[in-house]
């Protein structure tokens, strides 16, 4: 469940990080059925409004990659956090293991806002006992050669790095889900 980063803005569908993550997992002996619910331009409110459709797919793992557009638009931090909390809560209530992708924004709106924004993700994950990728774009953000001309969206090479960041978290959650079903 995400925005343009998940949708793979500017990339072929098979080059977006979710598809690459699925291929990596298959190569590692953990094939998955992937539903890419990324929508370019989406916000946490938009993701929340689409959540019921996503949960009808009965995900074992729900990767939540939302918030960047909220932050880039200077949305109130409390609203971003409330939406993310509700997405995580509802995902967990539906039986999914939730993986929250941490995001950061440039300090355009001031250091206080940028720091407050970045702090939302670990706080929500900790409070709701969800798993957290500290920063989805680790090793990709601000690396010109790994981003498209807009400086925001990863190239195919950048998406491969993002997938290598995401795959171990998803694999761990899938193992946990399997262990829980076996217990």
């Amino acid at each position: 469940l995400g925005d343009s980063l998940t949708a793979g803005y500017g990339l072929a569908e098979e080059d977006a990080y979710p598809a690459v993550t699925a291929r990596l997992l298959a190569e590692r002996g953990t094939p998955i059925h992937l539903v890419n619910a990324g929508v370019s331009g989406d916000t946490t409110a938009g993701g929340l409004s689409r959540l019921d459709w996503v949960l009808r797919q009965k995900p074992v793992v729900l990767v939540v990659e939302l918030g960047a557009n909220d932050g880039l638009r200077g949305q109130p931090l409390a609203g971003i956090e409330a939406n993310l909390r509700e997405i995580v809560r509802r995902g967990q209530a539906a039986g999914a293991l939730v993986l929250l992708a941490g995001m950061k924004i440039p300090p355009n709106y001031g250091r206080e806002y940028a720091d407050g924004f970045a702090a939302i993700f670990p706080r929500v994950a900790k409070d709701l006992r969800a798993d957290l990728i500290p920063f989805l774009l680790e090793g990709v953000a601000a690396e010109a050669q790994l981003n498209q001309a807009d400086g925001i969206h990863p190239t195919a090479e950048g998406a491969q790095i993002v997938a290598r960041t995401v795959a171990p978290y998803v694999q761990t959650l899938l193992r946990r889900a399997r262990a829980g079903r076996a217990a």
Side-chain angles (χ1 to χ4, degrees):
L1 178 66
D3 55 32
S4 57
L5 297 172
T6 295
Y9 175 85
L11 300 175
E13 185 178 336
E14 65 271 10
D15 291 334
Y17 87 82
V20 178
T21 300
R23 284 196 304 276
L24 286 173
L25 291 171
E27 289 168 7
R28 296 173 186 176
T30 310
I32 63 169
H33 170 72
L34 170 78
V35 175
N36 185 337
V39 173
S40 291
D42 211 358
T43 62
T44 57
L48 183 56
S49 73
R50 294 186 301 110
L51 186 59
D52 286 341
W53 177 86
V54 172
L55 294 178
R56 280 196 294 274
Q57 313 304 309
K58 305 271 190 232
V60 173
V61 174
L62 175 64
V63 179
V64 178
E65 179 277 307
L66 288 165
N69 288 316
D70 301 71
L72 292 172
R73 295 172 188 167
Q75 296 295 312
L77 297 177
I80 299 168
E81 184 166 345
N83 289 335
L84 287 172
R85 284 178 180 279
E86 187 62 15
I87 290 167
V88 172
R89 275 192 205 105
R90 287 176 52 193
Q92 291 171 330
L97 296 173
V98 178
L99 176 57
L100 185 60
M103 295 301 299
K104 297 177 184 177
I105 58 168
N108 300 23
Y109 293 97
R111 177 59 49 201
E112 185 177 334
Y113 184 85
D115 289 348
F117 176 83
I120 290 171
F121 301 90
R123 183 169 53 243
V124 169
K126 181 181 178 197
D127 290 353
L128 298 178
R129 294 187 173 106
D131 284 69
L132 175 71
I133 299 169
F135 181 41
L136 181 73
L137 299 175
E138 188 66 46
V140 176
E143 298 293 335
Q145 73 279 10
L146 298 175
N147 287 280
Q148 296 176 45
D150 63 11
I152 296 171
H153 297 95
T155 60
E157 183 182 355
Q160 289 178 17
I161 294 169
V162 174
R164 287 194 299 270
T165 297
V166 173
Y169 289 95
V170 173
Q171 193 162 26
T172 296
L173 287 174
L174 290 169
R175 282 190 196 120
R176 190 181 309 157
R178 265 193 236 111
R181 283 197 301 262

